[in-house]
Amino acid sequence: AFSLDKNTHKISLMFSFGSSSKRGGGSSNKSEDTNAKTANNNASKKSSFLSASSAGASAQSSGNGSATGNTKSQTNNIQSTFRKKPIPVGQKGIELQAHINSTLGNNGSLRDAVKLPKGEDELEWIAVNVVDFFNALVFLYDVVNTEHCTEKTCPTMCAGPKFEYRWMDGEEVMKPMECSAPVYCGYLFRWVEKQIDDEKIFPKKQGDAFPRDFKKRVKKIAARLFRVYAHLYHSHFKIICALQAEKHLNTIFKHFVYFAVEFSLISSEEMMPLRELVDGVLQAP
């Protein structure tokens, strides 16, 4: 479980994940590509933490075949594979990004920072923020990916002993496929990147229309990005603390949760692996 100090908003680890006395038992939880399964966490050794400042201006804030093919080599260093994505919707996107940065940079409330600015288009606002969250999460995952989230330490993509995620994108991988956490994240990040790069989905020019199913697509993206946070907290929170990166993780996650709730992007069921943490974030003053 996690504990949120309401005075400092600091999230702390209360017990070792994988403890059957805390997480065992109960019925399995399943979604479109999720199966419940007990997961064993492996110990990780301490390494140097990359400065969070390189995450970008708002750091405040998929493939087919064998799981050991090209995907494995590409997930050895996530940042070298996935470059920071540019802001969508042209000049308007730049203006909206500036609004985000100014709000967060002036000790503004994260709750206020996620609200749609007066007179702005909701889809443009969502598009800019989703790209921002994607960039931040790719950087954050890279902190543990090379050394601590490997096929040996994380042979399945899971979030605690009850939740296991299997990859399926409906295009190249047609059936839910069990794979390691780094392979799953590689598929996921490429799947998101492909959509962000598609101007028919994420328009690059101001005034270009969004597809009718844009909100549906974004909900799917947000739900899957949430799974990476769930994996990081359940399997790698100790090493993230050892690397003194927990403040960065907590801040980005809180920002992401506030935004997802504000625009109803993630279902309560999808949030179950981090239910206590999410409730703590939302109930904090």
Side-chain angles (χ1 to χ4, degrees), residues 238-254:
K238 285 184 177 180
I239 190 61
I240 288 173
C241 289
L243 299 175
Q244 299 182 333
E246 73 274 17
K247 182 177 180 181
H248 189 56
L249 169 62
N250 294 341
T251 301
I252 293 176
F253 179 69
K254 285 168 63 178

Side-chain angles (χ1 to χ4, degrees), residues 26-236:
S27 59
S28 62
N29 296 274
K30 298 181 179 180
S31 61
E32 173 189 356
D33 49 358
T34 306
N35 283 338
K37 182 179 180 182
T38 301
N40 295 318
N41 296 326
N42 296 295
S44 299
K45 61 183 180 179
K46 184 175 180 180
S47 66
S48 299
F49 171 55
L50 298 174
S51 171
S53 62
S54 64
S58 60
Q60 158 82 348
S61 14
S62 296
N64 196 359
S66 169
T68 59
N70 292 333
T71 307
K72 178 180 178 180
S73 63
Q74 290 181 1
T75 54
N76 283 339
N77 190 316
I78 289 293
Q79 277 200 297
S80 66
T81 303
F82 302 98
R83 301 298 181 183
K84 182 179 179 182
K85 308 311 296 179
I87 302 167
V89 297
Q91 182 59 37
K92 173 58 67 174
I94 295 175
E95 293 172 2
L96 293 174
Q97 180 68 67
H99 175 83
I100 296 172
N101 294 340
S102 63
T103 303
L104 297 176
N106 292 323
N107 296 320
S109 164
L110 285 175
R111 292 181 186 273
D112 293 335
V114 303
K115 296 184 182 301
L116 178 67
K118 186 176 181 180
E120 299 296 349
D121 181 81
E122 180 177 308
L123 297 185
E124 290 180 347
W125 179 243
I126 290 176
V128 170
N129 277 275
V130 166
V131 172
D132 206 31
F133 289 128
F134 173 71
N135 286 332
L137 186 56
V138 167
F139 167 81
L140 193 57
Y141 178 72
D142 193 58
V143 170
V144 300
N145 170 235
T146 304
E147 226 178 315
H148 307 289
C149 188
T150 67
E151 293 198 27
K152 288 185 178 181
T153 63
C154 303
T156 59
M157 177 61 176
C158 61
K162 286 188 177 182
F163 298 89
E164 177 186 316
Y165 303 115
R166 299 189 176 188
W167 181 255
M168 180 180 72
D169 55 33
E171 295 179 356
E172 297 180 64
V173 181
M174 304 303 296
K175 297 181 179 180
M177 181 186 73
E178 182 177 358
C179 55
S180 67
V183 169
Y184 183 98
C185 290
Y187 280 130
L188 170 56
F189 292 154
R190 285 203 312 280
W191 175 76
V192 175
E193 183 178 56
K194 182 180 179 181
Q195 294 182 78
I196 292 176
D197 288 342
D198 188 341
E199 295 191 22
K200 293 181 180 179
I201 301 175
F202 281 78
K204 301 297 184 289
K205 298 179 182 179
Q206 184 177 348
D208 285 355
F210 286 87
R212 292 184 177 180
D213 64 346
F214 180 73
K215 193 77 176 284
K216 180 180 179 180
R217 288 176 178 271
V218 168
K219 287 182 177 182
K220 191 70 172 179
I221 290 173
R224 288 182 166 179
L225 292 182
F226 183 90
R227 296 173 185 181
V228 180
Y229 282 111
H231 179 70
L232 288 174
Y233 273 110
H234 278 285
S235 298
H236 302 295

